[in-house]
Amino acid sequence: MIEMLIGTVKYILITLGSGQSVVRNKAVLRKEMDKTFVNSHQAEKVKILLNDSEELNTNEKFAIVVSSKEDIELPQKFIIQIGDLIVEVEKISQFELEVRRILKGGFVKSGNKVSIVKF
């Protein structure tokens, strides 16, 4: 299996039931009966945002923010591993990926390497 490093996790953005957005250093993503959960919060969509800058303006409810230093040409669909988590993602734009399927749920924390494991 060939791995290609994309970057490292900076933080995880989570929107609570009250609508308040919080930043966490770790979170668990899991699939339960065709529903995706980030910690205990149900998530319609989970994005992976590739961001080099300190400032991030986004209205995403659930996002894993990744520090990506290199300009990498990403395929349209691929599988990535972040810590214990293995997910199938789709490229929305050069800096935005959307999780399509959780293949293996698990913990994600700041500093985890983000690697492509299968194209």
Side-chain angles (χ1 to χ4, degrees):
M1 181 169 15
I2 299 171
E3 286 190 16
M4 186 171 99
L5 184 67
I6 295 175
T8 57
V9 175
K10 287 168 81 171
Y11 57 86
I12 299 97
L13 182 66
I14 299 172
T15 301
L16 305 176
S18 64
Q20 178 185 7
S21 290
V22 295
V23 171
R24 297 283 186 246
N25 288 326
K26 61 183 175 181
V28 64
L29 277 76
R30 61 188 168 84
K31 192 83 162 169
E32 193 173 293
M33 298 181 70
D34 287 336
K35 293 183 181 173
T36 300
F37 289 88
V38 178
N39 289 345
S40 60
H41 307 284
Q42 186 175 338
E44 293 291 320
K45 283 194 254 180
V46 177
K47 297 281 180 92
I48 297 172
L49 304 174
L50 307 176
N51 182 20
D52 292 340
S53 68
E54 289 299 313
E55 288 280 321
L56 177 68
N57 293 325
T58 183
N59 57 1
E60 296 301 333
K61 292 187 176 203
F62 299 95
I64 299 169
V65 180
V66 174
S67 175
S68 173
K69 301 246 183 274
E70 299 175 27
D71 189 21
I72 301 170
E73 186 61 39
L74 297 172
Q76 191 61 36
K77 289 184 179 182
F78 53 99
I79 296 172
I80 62 172
Q81 181 168 5
I82 308 171
D84 300 334
L85 180 71
I86 300 175
V87 292
E88 180 182 315
V89 296
E90 184 173 348
K91 181 170 80 169
I92 305 300
S93 71
Q94 183 179 352
F95 303 106
E96 184 178 351
L97 309 173
E98 185 172 325
V99 174
R100 292 296 183 195
R101 282 190 318 162
I102 295 177
L103 303 175
K104 179 182 175 233
F107 282 96
V108 173
K109 61 184 178 181
S110 297
N112 278 147
K113 288 182 168 64
V114 179
S115 300
I116 297 176
V117 293
K118 187 175 180 186
F119 290 94

